[in-house]
Structures are given as structure tokens and as C-alpha cells.
Amino acid sequence: RQLRGANHLETADCLFNLARLNQQQGKWKAAEADCLRAVSIVENVQGTAHPDFAVCLNNLASLYHQQENLDKAALLYRRSLAILEDSLGPSHRNVGICLNNLAGLYRAQKKFADAEAVLDRALTIFENSCRPRREEIALALNNLAAVHLLQKDYAKAEPLLKRAVSILDAALGKQHPEVVDSLFNLAILCEKQARPVEAERHFRRAETIASATFGNKHPYVTECRRHLDELSRARVGSRII
């Protein structure tokens, strides 16, 4: 490694941390500038074939993805994936993580078949890892279920979501915020299938965890409460003679 300075790898790490902070505050131009500078540093120090450079491209792609600049994000995700496959092998967990991110972009583009294909591959990588991380398996299951939900294929989505919730409950505990996304999706599925009692139970649990973790103004909290109110009004309305 070089001596610490403007072109040191630790400087790139700091720049990515600063970019994340700017990203969270909606300072997109500043975040992009930080990311691009960090990418340049890693490229100069490690080269374009190094997995660290691929991770940098993935971070930049994530920024563009969040800004809905999907074409730029897609190019960077695919380039990152190719580098990781060449440098680490096609079954490395970092390849799975990149595939999972790419699937989110395909979902945003409504390329559901592509999203399913890369998520199936990511899930296989996570499950067959020599040291599988259950949270990564659950995330891939949840994301694959979300793709099925968007296509109204509830029969495929439900077992995936139930498995994701079960894995996260066992791995992290029943009050961990990581389970909220899967619970919310499961609640939506039950609501779509006219199963209000189950939907209410899942919405209520997701709302309780999210409010305790993120506060009452978090989007998950407000969305859960909105759905709970709608379910309550529908239940009262059904009793009117």
C-alpha cells in the first residue's frame, strides 16, 4: 500500500463513508463526487481487475440506482459482476451480493424474468457457501418473493416469505428489524388474498418492531398503520346491517 495521503486506500474508504452520509441526506452531487474520487483511487492503486474495484463500482451503481438512473446503474452492476466472477470465482458470496443488487435493478425495470434468474443464482450461492450466512439467504428469499408478488404469483411468493421470516427469527430473534421487510411483504400477500386476520397479525408485528427501532415517522411504520386502519374499517363495514 502507498503511504497515507490523497491517493491511499484508506482515503477511498473515508470517501465512501462520506458518500453514504451525503446519500442519506439527499446530497446526490456530493455523494457522486465522493464515489467517483474513491473509485479513481482504488483503480489507480489496485487496478481494474481487483475485487475491491468491483466493490467500488457496485457502490457507485447503488447510488445511481437510488437516483433511478437505471441505465448507468445497470452498466456498473454488470461490470462489477464480471470482475468478481473473474477474480473470485462464480460461486463466491460477493458474486451473490452483486447478483442480489442487480436483481433489484431488474425489478425496478420490470424485467421480472431477469430478476428471478439472478436471484435464483444468488440464492444457490448463499445456500451452498461453505459458511452460509442465514441473513443473506433470507434476503434473497424475500427479494425473490417480492418479484413474484409484483406478478401476483402469490402461490410462489408465500412459502419464500414464510421461510425468510423463519430464518430471520431463528438467526436474529423475533424483534430484530431485519425481519420487517419480509413481514410487511407477507402481510401484503395476505391482504391481497383476502386473509385479513393473518394480514393484520403480520402488519401489527412489523409496525411494532419498526416503531421501536426506527421511530414513529419511519415509512414502514406509517404504511403498516395505514393498512391496519384500512383493515379495521373494512371489518367494521362488514358488520353493518
Side-chain angles (χ1 to χ4, degrees):
R1 285 192 176 188
Q2 300 177 0
L3 293 173
R4 287 173 176 79
N7 294 313
H8 193 274
L9 290 175
E10 290 184 6
T11 303
D13 289 340
C14 291
L15 284 165
F16 275 124
N17 290 335
L18 183 59
R20 278 192 287 271
L21 180 62
N22 284 323
Q23 190 173 346
Q24 290 167 359
Q25 296 176 339
K27 298 176 180 177
W28 302 112
K29 287 186 178 179
E32 182 181 9
D34 294 332
C35 272
L36 288 171
R37 187 179 161 203
V39 168
S40 178
I41 291 171
V42 175
E43 180 178 1
N44 290 333
V45 176
Q46 302 279 50
T48 58
H50 197 279
D52 286 352
F53 181 66
V55 172
C56 293
L57 294 178
N58 189 81
N59 291 343
L60 183 58
S62 177
L63 175 66
Y64 289 136
H65 187 176
Q66 191 172 352
Q67 290 180 274
E68 297 186 359
N69 192 337
L70 301 184
D71 290 337
K72 269 189 178 181
L75 289 172
L76 291 169
Y77 278 139
R78 292 192 191 105
R79 187 180 175 195
S80 175
L81 178 62
I83 295 169
L84 290 171
E85 288 175 325
D86 288 342
S87 59
L88 301 176
S91 298
H92 195 277
R93 63 176 293 272
N94 284 358
V95 172
I97 292 170
C98 191
L99 286 166
N100 190 68
N101 292 339
L102 181 58
L105 183 136
Y106 284 147
R107 189 173 71 184
Q109 293 177 317
K110 295 182 171 29
K111 296 179 179 179
F112 298 130
D114 291 334
E116 285 183 41
V118 295
L119 281 169
D120 281 335
R121 187 181 162 202
L123 184 58
T124 299
I125 290 171
F126 294 146
E127 289 179 323
N128 294 335
S129 171
C130 59
R131 288 185 294 177
R133 301 185 183 186
R134 289 181 288 179
E135 299 91 329
E136 291 174 345
I137 294 171
L139 178 63
L141 289 167
N142 177 72
N143 290 346
L144 184 56
V147 173
H148 292 315
L149 272 176
L150 288 171
Q151 298 175 88
K152 299 182 180 181
D153 193 340
Y154 305 130
K156 285 185 178 179
E158 185 167 3
L160 298 174
L161 289 171
K162 286 183 173 178
R163 186 180 168 208
V165 170
S166 178
I167 288 171
L168 291 171
D169 282 349
L172 303 175
K174 291 182 177 294
Q175 302 303 316
H176 198 282
E178 288 288 333
V179 78
V180 170
D181 195 28
S182 295
L183 281 171
F184 185 84
N185 286 336
L186 188 54
I188 292 291
L189 182 148
C190 292
E191 189 177 46
K192 295 286 187 184
Q193 291 189 305
R195 294 154 55 188
V197 174
E198 293 174 77
E200 182 176 350
R201 183 173 75 249
H202 297 312
F203 277 130
R204 201 167 296 284
R205 183 180 165 204
E207 186 270 336
T208 299
I209 296 170
S211 62
T213 306
F214 307 120
N216 290 329
K217 294 184 179 180
H218 192 273
Y220 266 131
V221 177
T222 55
E223 275 298 291
C224 284
R225 289 177 178 173
R226 182 177 68 80
H227 283 280
L228 286 167
D229 286 343
E230 289 175 358
L231 288 167
S232 179
R233 286 197 297 271
R235 184 168 60 248
V236 171
S238 69
R239 293 173 183 169
I240 297 174
I241 299 175

